[in-house]
Amino acid sequence: MAQETYYVKGMSCTSCAKTFENNVKDIESVEDAHVNFGASKITVQGDASIQQLEQAGAFESLSVSKQYEKHSPLRLNTLKSNWHIVASTIFLLIGIYLLVQLGEEHPVTTSAFLASIAVGGYQLLSTGVRHLLRLRFDMKTLMTIAVIGAAIIGEWVEGAVVVILFAISEALERFSIDRARSSIQSLMELAPDTARVRRNNELMELNVSNIQVGDTVIIKPGEKIPVDGMVTKGESTINQAAITGESVPVFKAENEEVFAGTLNEEGYLEVNVQKLAEDSTLAKIIHLVEEAQNEKAPAQQFIDRFAAYYTPLIMVVALGVATIPPIFFGLSFETWVYQGLAVLVVGCPCALVISTPVAIVTAIGSAARNGVLIKGGAYLEALGQVKTIAFDKTGTITQGKPVVQSYQLFDESISPEYFFQRAYALETLSQHPLAKAITEYTNDYVKPEPLSDVTDFQSITGKGVTGEIDRSQFKIGSPSMFDLNNEQQLAVNEARQSGHTVILMSENERVLGLVSIADAIRPMAKNMIAKLNKLNINRTVLLTGDHEVTAKSISHQVGIKQYLSQLLPKDKQVKVKELQEQHGQIAMVGDGVNDAPALATANVGIAMGGAGTDTALETADIALMGDDLSKLPYTMKLSRKALNIIKQNIVFALTTKALALLLVIPGWLTLWIAILADMGATLLVTLNALRLLKLKD
């Protein structure tokens, strides 16, 4: 069965999205359909034309397109798209004037109010009547009954006002939802539509969708990079903030990777295309963010279930208010039917239903713009409740590669240059990671000079290497290869107590000095832990396969409160389960590769996945795109604020409706108050959720 995805404009509420989805499913040639409200998209299985889809969305005047259409946030056609509100208001004002001049019962006055209701409420009433006939009860059904009821009992002014205020409410809601979706839209607009491509020695301008793997793309200074690829010519600083959240531009030279949507700041670049446009890192991020915004958080699932019972209950309550006082207590039918209509309006579940998804959409989109990929509302909500965070050591708290930390010479007659040049000559012949640490340190700080070739080179497995340089016999490796005096043994012990690996070198059995090597701690790790402590993260735990001395040293340096050492990957998973049993919900931060079991077991798995790292994007619930630990406190703050806003919105929506419904008891509830309460609640919960856009890293 063929599957196509379309972009939808004008989808402003979850119930409208559901109606649209059901209408599309009713198309004979469609097997199934799924609407993503957050991303404003529909995926259709089967065969349907754009005309058929737009017909299915005609109740909301939805427009459908195959490609995303870039648009300016300044909508110059706002007045044009809301002409019905303007026209309806004009008819209402004319009706009020005629009411004063000719009286309420005059046919011309009634006609003006009817015109106001018809023009302003055509879409509302047509949809509401259709839903009423199908016994489908949503907010438009409730509003339709209220407006028709107001007309029947002669409340023309208030019926017209209800129509206008509801139309204004929908327009404001649509604008607010568009603002919440702006994060996805800004991501989509990062990459250029076209690029200069050299193919078969011919230079051409192509749409990015037509660029093939292996093409060479030319990017001039100040231009955005259109595809993922490898630099083959030139060098430049690249602003990668849009993808990784890094605030400082990154220098790129030949054989280094660049990403679609990033900005070439100053140099000329030629890039060999490594991925098609639809497979780029940016495309994956957009897809995952769209899917994440459609994933319902537990709070949203609860609200959806609650609304399914709430709406029919309001219908029953309104019917009771309209009929019980007149029938059983002999009170005025007109007065209590009016009160019943007001109950229908104030009971509209719109504010309640929109309270959670708008916060989820806003938070996930805002995080994506700051280099954090959250893969669903459930994970956003769960992270907001976390009090314990476990960290993998290698590749997370540390950089994941050994680095020379310090050195000590035991023979005052030799210089550091003499020591490291000979160490460099031996270690360049070794494949051991510790050997690479010594050669890199020598390159950076000593500048090795050419020496005679190493002869009689031997590698002793698990210990070190030996070789002859200028007729002298050198050994470099672990302390077990050497006979050490008390002073030298003491120096080795002190380095080991700091969690360092010790390498010694001797010349003709005379020990020259030692080098302390350790996995370097990420520069931002200590500051990150300090920020988490300020956020009242009660417990931080380091999980590592290293021995206890190293684990203790790293934890102490960074400020992590607890450490668990000598753990295999499967042991980390067991420890995460134990931590869950002891402390409740737990987040696990790892590199997304060997930590996959522990990440999957934790309530929230957070991967230190650099941009372009597929494993990190697929494994974790949350991915820090720039390998930047400083994003973690920001993500914690965002999730907690989102959780608080969701709770505030639910409480505010229910409280507002409860207070308005209490006005029924003394008979003070009017259609004016009802629609203002409903519109006000909807607008305020939306604006409250949009505060998440202001939270910066």
Side-chain angles (χ1 to χ4, degrees):
M1 183 66 66
Q3 180 172 297
E4 293 285 351
T5 299
Y6 301 87
Y7 290 93
V8 185
K9 273 189 179 180
M11 201 155 47
S12 62
C13 68
T14 52
S15 63
C16 304
K18 191 65 180 174
T19 302
F20 177 50
E21 180 178 283
N22 291 332
N23 289 350
V24 173
K25 287 179 179 178
D26 289 339
I27 297 173
E28 192 173 332
S29 56
V30 171
E31 183 74 18
D32 196 14
H34 176 68
V35 168
N36 183 327
F37 173 69
S40 199
K41 291 168 68 174
I42 184 169
T43 302
V44 179
Q45 286 187 350
D47 184 28
S49 66
I50 288 178
Q51 290 75 17
Q52 286 176 303
L53 295 176
E54 289 187 337
Q55 182 62 37
F59 69 95
E60 188 78 353
S61 298
L62 302 181
S63 62
V64 179
S65 60
K66 192 72 183 70
Q67 299 293 329
Y68 168 73
E69 297 176 15
K70 295 182 179 181
H71 63 273
S72 168
L74 295 174
R75 302 209 173 167
L76 302 176
N77 61 343
T78 300
L79 192 63
K80 181 181 176 182
S81 60
N82 293 302
W83 67 270
H84 60 293
I85 300 176
V86 177
S88 182
T89 304
I90 292 171
F91 280 121
L92 173 63
L93 294 174
I94 292 171
I96 293 171
Y97 174 78
L98 294 172
L99 177 68
V100 174
Q101 296 296 319
L102 304 176
E104 187 177 359
E105 303 296 330
H106 198 284
V108 178
T109 305
T110 305
S111 299
F113 288 127
L114 268 173
S116 177
I117 292 171
V119 172
Y122 170 74
Q123 291 180 358
L124 163 67
L125 296 172
S126 60
T127 304
V129 169
R130 191 161 57 247
H131 287 187
L132 189 59
L133 294 174
R134 296 177 182 177
L135 299 179
R136 184 186 294 169
F137 299 110
D138 61 8
M139 59 182 181
K140 291 192 174 180
T141 311
L142 303 186
M143 288 294 178
T144 298
I145 294 171
V147 172
I148 293 173
I152 290 172
I153 63 174
E155 296 289 346
W156 295 106
V157 176
E158 297 197 17
V161 169
V162 165
V163 164
I164 292 169
L165 290 178
F166 184 75
I168 292 172
S169 172
E170 283 206 308
L172 290 172
E173 189 179 321
R174 191 177 293 113
F175 172 78
S176 300
I177 289 292
D178 285 346
R179 285 280 292 127
R181 290 180 180 136
S182 64
S183 298
I184 286 184
Q185 293 168 354
S186 64
L187 285 173
M188 288 178 171
E189 293 170 6
L190 283 175
D193 294 325
T194 60
R196 281 181 296 278
V197 177
R198 184 184 293 122
R199 185 186 292 171
N200 299 325
N201 293 321
E202 183 181 348
L203 193 63
M204 58 190 79
E205 186 93 6
L206 291 178
N207 189 287
V208 290
S209 61
N210 296 323
I211 296 175
Q212 300 173 4
V213 173
D215 283 343
T216 297
V217 176
I218 294 168
I219 303 119
K220 295 181 179 179
E223 293 182 342
K224 287 184 177 179
I225 296 171
V227 288
D228 285 11
M230 198 74 71
V231 177
T232 56
K233 183 178 179 181
E235 55 186 37
S236 179
T237 53
I238 306 295
N239 187 333
Q240 298 189 153
I243 302 297
T244 65
E246 294 168 286
S247 57
V248 179
V250 179
F251 181 78
K252 298 283 186 177
E254 289 185 18
N255 298 320
E256 291 191 295
E257 191 176 16
V258 292
F259 305 113
T262 57
L263 178 66
N264 177 24
E265 292 201 331
E266 54 188 21
Y268 171 88
L269 293 177
E270 292 188 9
V271 173
N272 179 262
V273 179
Q274 304 286 306
K275 296 178 182 177
L276 297 175
E278 61 264 29
D279 298 325
S280 69
T281 299
L282 176 62
K284 286 181 181 177
I285 292 171
I286 291 170
H287 173 71
L288 288 169
V289 171
E290 287 176 342
E291 293 303 309
Q293 290 188 339
N294 202 43
E295 287 289 327
K296 293 183 178 179
Q300 188 176 347
Q301 292 172 352
F302 167 75
I303 290 298
D304 288 347
R305 289 195 300 270
F306 179 77
Y309 297 100
Y310 170 85
T311 305
L313 177 64
I314 285 293
M315 298 280 290
V316 172
V317 170
L319 182 62
V321 169
T323 58
I324 292 174
I327 293 173
F328 293 99
F329 300 101
L331 300 177
S332 167
F333 257 108
E334 185 175 337
T335 300
W336 286 99
V337 167
Y338 177 84
Q339 289 288 302
L341 296 175
V343 168
L344 281 182
V345 174
V346 81
C348 176
C350 187
L352 189 62
V353 171
I354 204 72
S355 61
T356 304
V358 72
I360 297 294
V361 168
T362 305
I364 291 175
S366 182
R369 289 195 307 192
N370 283 280
V372 179
L373 184 59
I374 303 173
K375 292 170 69 174
Y379 308 121
L380 180 75
E381 189 172 322
L383 187 63
Q385 299 167 345
V386 161
K387 295 288 187 179
T388 302
I389 302 181
F391 295 90
D392 170 54
K393 180 185 79 71
T394 306
T396 303
I397 295 298
T398 63
Q399 294 178 0
K401 67 173 186 175
V403 175
V404 172
Q405 302 291 325
S406 63
Y407 65 89
Q408 182 177 345
L409 301 179
F410 299 134
D411 190 333
E412 295 180 359
S413 66
I414 65 168
S415 66
E417 288 77 15
Y418 182 92
F419 179 86
F420 277 102
Q421 283 168 4
R422 277 139 190 86
Y424 180 88
L426 289 166
E427 297 289 37
T428 50
L429 302 176
S430 173
Q431 300 299 315
H432 198 280
L434 297 180
K436 187 176 181 182
I438 290 174
T439 57
E440 287 183 351
Y441 182 85
T442 307
N443 273 321
D444 292 340
Y445 298 104
V446 180
K447 307 294 185 204
E449 295 180 1
L451 297 173
S452 301
D453 290 340
V454 176
T455 58
D456 196 23
F457 177 83
Q458 279 187 307
S459 176
I460 304 170
T461 304
K463 291 192 173 183
V465 298
T466 66
E468 189 175 299
I469 304 174
D470 295 330
R471 292 190 293 249
S472 291
Q473 187 67 30
F474 286 86
K475 286 195 298 186
I476 185 166
S478 68
S480 62
M481 293 177 67
F482 306 91
D483 292 325
L484 305 176
N485 61 34
N486 290 339
E487 179 190 352
Q488 292 164 351
Q489 188 63 55
L490 183 63
V492 169
N493 292 342
E494 286 179 355
R496 281 177 167 173
Q497 285 172 4
S498 299
H500 295 172
T501 300
V502 178
I503 298 296
L504 295 162
M505 187 174 74
S506 69
E507 180 181 6
N508 298 326
E509 301 301 329
R510 178 172 57 106
V511 180
L512 301 180
L514 67 77
V515 180
S516 292
I517 297 175
D519 189 358
I521 294 172
R522 290 180 182 269
M524 75 285 289
K526 186 174 182 179
N527 187 43
M528 177 270 298
I529 295 294
K531 287 183 177 180
L532 289 178
N533 289 336
K534 288 181 181 178
L535 291 172
N536 294 319
I537 297 299
N538 298 330
R539 185 167 281 96
T540 48
V541 185
L542 184 71
L543 306 180
T544 177
D546 277 340
H547 52 74
E548 185 177 356
V549 172
T550 301
K552 182 178 180 180
S553 173
I554 296 290
S555 298
H556 178 72
Q557 291 179 64
V558 175
I560 293 176
K561 296 177 182 178
Q562 181 183 352
Y563 63 86
L564 298 168
S565 58
Q566 296 179 306
L567 303 176
L568 297 172
K570 63 179 181 180
D571 298 327
K572 291 181 183 179
Q573 183 183 23
V574 171
K575 291 298 179 184
V576 166
K577 286 182 180 178
E578 290 178 2
L579 289 168
Q580 285 174 321
E581 291 170 2
Q582 294 169 16
H583 309 296
Q585 292 205 338
I586 180 172
M588 170 73 188
V589 186
D591 59 15
V593 184
N594 62 339
D595 299 313
L599 289 171
T601 302
N603 298 94
V604 184
I606 304 172
M608 292 287 295
T613 308
D614 291 343
T615 309
L617 294 179
E618 292 165 8
T619 304
D621 307 317
I622 297 174
L624 307 180
M625 297 302 295
D627 265 355
D628 187 355
L629 280 173
S630 66
K631 301 291 181 187
L632 186 55
Y634 157 76
T635 310
M636 289 296 306
K637 281 167 59 180
L638 178 70
S639 62
R640 289 183 175 184
K641 190 169 183 179
L643 196 58
N644 287 335
I645 282 176
I646 288 170
K647 291 175 181 175
Q648 291 167 9
N649 282 354
I650 292 171
V651 170
F652 179 77
L654 290 174
T655 303
T656 303
K657 294 185 182 302
L659 291 174
L661 289 172
L662 287 175
L663 296 178
V664 172
I665 297 171
W668 295 346
L669 184 62
T670 66
L671 284 173
W672 296 69
I673 295 174
I675 190 65
L676 285 172
D678 178 64
M679 183 180 74
T682 302
L683 187 57
L684 286 174
V685 298
T686 307
L687 293 175
N688 191 35
L690 291 179
R691 290 193 299 124
L692 290 166
L693 291 172
K694 295 182 179 179
L695 186 66
K696 303 296 181 185
D697 178 16

